[in-house]
Amino acid sequence: MAETFDGLTLQVNGETADVTWKQIADMIGYNASEIKELKETGEHTKNAVNISWMMMATTLVFIMQAGFTMVEVGSVRIKNTKSILVKNLLDACVGSVMFYIYGWAFSFGKGNAFLGYNGFVLMSGFNRDGTEIVDPYQYALWTFQYTFCATASTIVSGAVAERTQLFAYLVYTFFLVTVIYPPVAHSIWTDEGWASPYNPNPLFGIGAIDFAGGVVVHVVGGTCALIGSILVGPRQGRFVKNSKIVKQNAVFQVLGTLLLWFGWYGFNCGSTMGLGENLSNSAAKIGVATTLSASSSGTTTILLNFFLDRRFDPAVVCNGILAGLVSITGGCAVVEPYGAFIIGVIGAHVYYFGSKLLVNLKIDDVVDASPVHLGCGIWGAIATTFFCHPITFRDSFSKITNVDNGYGVFYDGAKGGKLLGANLVFLIAAISYVSAIAAPMFFVLKMLRLLRINNIEENKGQDKVMHGGVAYENPTANSNSSIKSVTKT
């Protein structure tokens, strides 16, 4: 049954007939106004369900802020605990203010192929007839997208932890929400974006696929994390022979990872933006893909850790799980479960050997944000173009112009090649753009001596110098004996 402008097209026993609303009303005993009222009630119900779905997903994604905080606190030394807590709180607070004032408008407002320029401060208000200027669904969408932007921002705090000035972090947050994140998001998540599959004239006839932000959130955040880690330099003693830096608490790391995994269901499943048509089916399959990629990556990582390093390190397993989650984010809505499983397995290798590479290059990334978010984000963008299943794609992208072009390389080499080309162009453009902004920003801060704390502050710990004292007042908790058994980096 398909709806037309003046009624319905009904199909009975193989025969079709156009029936007006008045004819339907006469047949079932309702007048036309009552039929219209029923239709409007159905629309209101649909909107209410979609808004409720978005708000539920938003709460899950926001919980990821707590997850990142716990992972980062568990990965640093006790003397820098408050510093990490303050930076993550600022991500949520300062990020939302800036996203409200201009971040939303630049990212999702009407504009051109690269940037939006309308919808500042949501342009909230009421018309003379009492109706809101802003569609209520937009409020739900704003809240949901704010949590995505905040996630991209917080990725960096763990990478450059224990030696970065708070002022520098505030400058970075400002640049990410204002300049870095919006053009990337606008380019692929709006119908005007040059790389968007929703564009009437999509790139290579299909557009790039980044369903839940594998590139927009994780590659963007991971690129900034890598650049920041390089320019701020390693912590004192990090790569000095016979000098070891101990992580604070493996319990916090594991708890944070499980919170992130929990919130990732809102991140991926919630990106359907509603439950109408086939979107509820897509959300269910996305949940399976998210689970399988995370679990297969975590399992693979622990095997790599055992056979190559002869140990079972919970911190490594945690990052392996996150590697699988990042790897599936971009393509979660278009791959089959077996594809998600394979993507997770390969994602584990990308993270594991990427982490080893950082150590060999003497790049100090405290939480391995670069291999997890940048490395696996890149892998996920490429993997999407190989494992994109045409039927799964149509369920999730039914409203795009060229829905029949949604094939991965493994299912149609020619069409899949176009999708691969589109994703590679978008991926390269995103990394190049982010690097062109982030590198000069961090470099200028470094030249002005505003990037890194001094040696005295680093030795004492940022908590004592800037945050009113250590986080744990119990002397036993601050003694060396309390951290002898924790994981060593």
Side-chain angles (χ1 to χ4, degrees), residues 122-402:
L122 280 178
M123 297 297 290
S124 56
F126 295 89
N127 296 312
R128 291 185 178 181
D129 61 359
T131 58
E132 287 193 84
I133 293 175
V134 180
D135 180 357
Y137 178 78
Q138 294 299 309
Y139 289 124
L141 189 59
W142 181 92
T143 313
F144 184 66
Q145 292 296 344
Y146 145 66
T147 59
F148 273 55
C149 186
T151 299
S153 177
T154 200
I155 288 170
V156 180
S157 63
V160 298
E162 300 201 280
R163 74 272 199 202
T164 305
Q165 291 190 36
L166 181 61
F167 176 77
Y169 191 71
L170 289 174
V171 171
Y172 154 75
T173 302
F174 173 82
F175 268 84
L176 184 130
V177 179
T178 308
V179 182
I180 297 176
Y181 181 89
V184 183
H186 187 85
S187 294
I188 194 166
W189 282 347
T190 67
D191 55 12
E192 300 173 313
W194 64 270
S196 174
Y198 296 99
N199 191 309
N201 298 301
L203 182 66
F204 299 146
I206 181 61
I209 301 300
D210 186 25
F211 187 78
V215 175
V216 174
V217 175
H218 298 286
V219 169
V220 167
T223 301
C224 292
L226 179 60
I227 294 172
S229 297
I230 293 172
L231 289 178
V232 76
R235 291 166 290 174
Q236 293 182 33
R238 175 64 178 93
F239 297 111
V240 177
K241 188 176 181 180
N242 297 324
S243 176
K244 297 178 181 178
I245 297 177
V246 293
K247 296 182 179 181
Q248 176 179 164
N249 196 315
V251 175
F252 289 165
Q253 292 176 288
V254 173
L255 178 59
T257 300
L258 292 175
L259 283 173
L260 286 170
W261 192 345
F262 177 70
W264 227 288
Y265 290 108
F267 206 90
N268 287 359
C269 300
S271 291
T272 59
M273 306 293 187
L275 294 175
E277 300 173 346
N278 292 324
L279 294 180
S280 58
N281 298 336
S282 295
K285 184 176 278 189
I286 290 169
V288 174
T290 301
T291 303
L292 289 177
S293 185
S295 56
S296 66
S297 182
T299 303
T300 303
T301 302
I302 199 170
L303 293 174
L304 288 170
N305 191 215
F306 175 73
F307 285 112
L308 297 180
D309 295 327
R310 290 299 174 186
R311 58 179 174 171
F312 297 107
D313 188 340
V316 173
V317 180
C318 285
N319 278 333
I321 291 170
L322 297 180
L325 290 167
V326 172
S327 297
I328 198 61
T329 296
C332 60
V334 298
V335 303
E336 289 294 290
Y338 62 83
F341 184 93
I342 297 171
I343 288 172
V345 170
I346 299 177
H349 289 78
V350 172
Y351 150 66
Y352 194 83
F353 292 106
S355 178
K356 298 290 186 184
L357 178 61
L358 286 185
V359 174
N360 289 334
L361 296 175
K362 290 184 168 51
I363 298 173
D364 186 11
D365 183 337
V366 178
V367 295
D368 272 341
S370 308
V372 169
H373 297 279
L374 175 57
C376 292
I378 292 173
W379 157 240
I382 296 172
T384 297
T385 67
F386 283 87
F387 290 95
C388 178
H389 193 282
I391 296 177
T392 309
F393 179 87
R394 280 194 290 270
D395 286 343
S396 301
F397 290 90
S398 59
K399 295 182 180 180
I400 70 171
T401 304
N402 297 328

Side-chain angles (χ1 to χ4, degrees), residues 69-85:
T69 301
M70 297 300 289
V71 168
E72 293 169 20
V73 167
S75 300
V76 302
R77 290 164 289 188
I78 291 175
K79 63 182 181 180
N80 293 308
T81 298
K82 283 186 177 179
S83 174
I84 287 294
L85 296 176

